[in-house]
Amino acid sequence: METNNKLNELKDRNPFRVPEGYFENFTENMMCRLPDFPVKQPKVISIYDRVKPWLYMAAVFAGLIVLFGVLNKMMGVPSEDNDSFVKTTLPVLLPDPEAEAEENDEFLEYIHDMYTDKYAFSYMDDYWDN
């Protein structure tokens, strides 16, 4: 059993060892082993390159505003000048009362002709006369 329990012997001792003088020259040895790469200068970003996305976004919004302004003028949407809107659009939207009365009279005459039988009145007159 004593051979299997060797942890008690290693309890106070560190089993790992470093060669003497290893850390004294460590930095120099590591730098000698690394390959030589040229040091690259960081890329300088100009102010224009930083502002360019914002300029593009502003141009898109300006284009949309101009597009909607042109479409509103083409479609006849009222603008600040409401008098021109009233003069050009309202006569189309509001029906003429005289024309509406004529249409109503024509419709009533059509209904009367459709649902009244001229012979029915003569039949009723004959029936009530007897």
Side-chain angles (χ1 to χ4, degrees):
M1 283 199 165
E2 289 183 25
T3 56
N4 290 338
N5 195 359
K6 297 233 178 199
L7 288 177
N8 289 333
E9 294 176 15
L10 299 175
K11 182 167 57 171
D12 296 331
R13 203 175 74 150
N14 188 357
F16 303 105
R17 295 193 184 150
V18 177
E20 289 193 28
Y22 181 77
F23 288 110
E24 293 171 2
N25 298 326
F26 179 77
T27 308
E28 295 169 6
N29 289 335
M30 185 58 70
M31 293 307 285
C32 289
R33 292 181 184 174
L34 290 176
D36 290 333
F37 288 110
V39 177
K40 292 182 181 178
Q41 294 295 329
K43 182 180 177 184
V44 177
I45 299 174
S46 68
I47 294 175
Y48 176 71
D49 289 335
R50 288 181 187 222
V51 177
K52 195 182 330 181
W54 294 97
L55 289 175
Y56 290 157
M57 189 169 45
V60 167
F61 281 117
L64 287 174
I65 289 170
V66 169
L67 176 71
F68 284 122
V70 169
L71 288 177
N72 283 341
K73 290 208 182 258
M74 289 175 57
M75 300 302 248
V77 176
S79 62
E80 302 274 334
D81 185 19
N82 287 334
D83 292 337
S84 67
F85 175 71
V86 169
K87 290 176 186 174
T88 58
T89 309
L90 284 182
V92 175
L93 297 176
L94 298 175
D96 184 22
E98 294 175 7
E100 190 174 334
E102 289 177 16
E103 287 179 8
N104 287 342
D105 290 341
E106 289 176 8
F107 181 70
L108 290 174
E109 185 178 328
Y110 171 76
I111 296 293
H112 184 269
D113 290 344
M114 289 295 292
Y115 292 106
T116 57
D117 188 6
K118 295 176 185 173
Y119 300 111
F121 287 116
S122 64
Y123 174 76
M124 289 172 61
D125 286 341
D126 292 341
Y127 179 76
W128 291 109
D129 284 341
N130 288 338

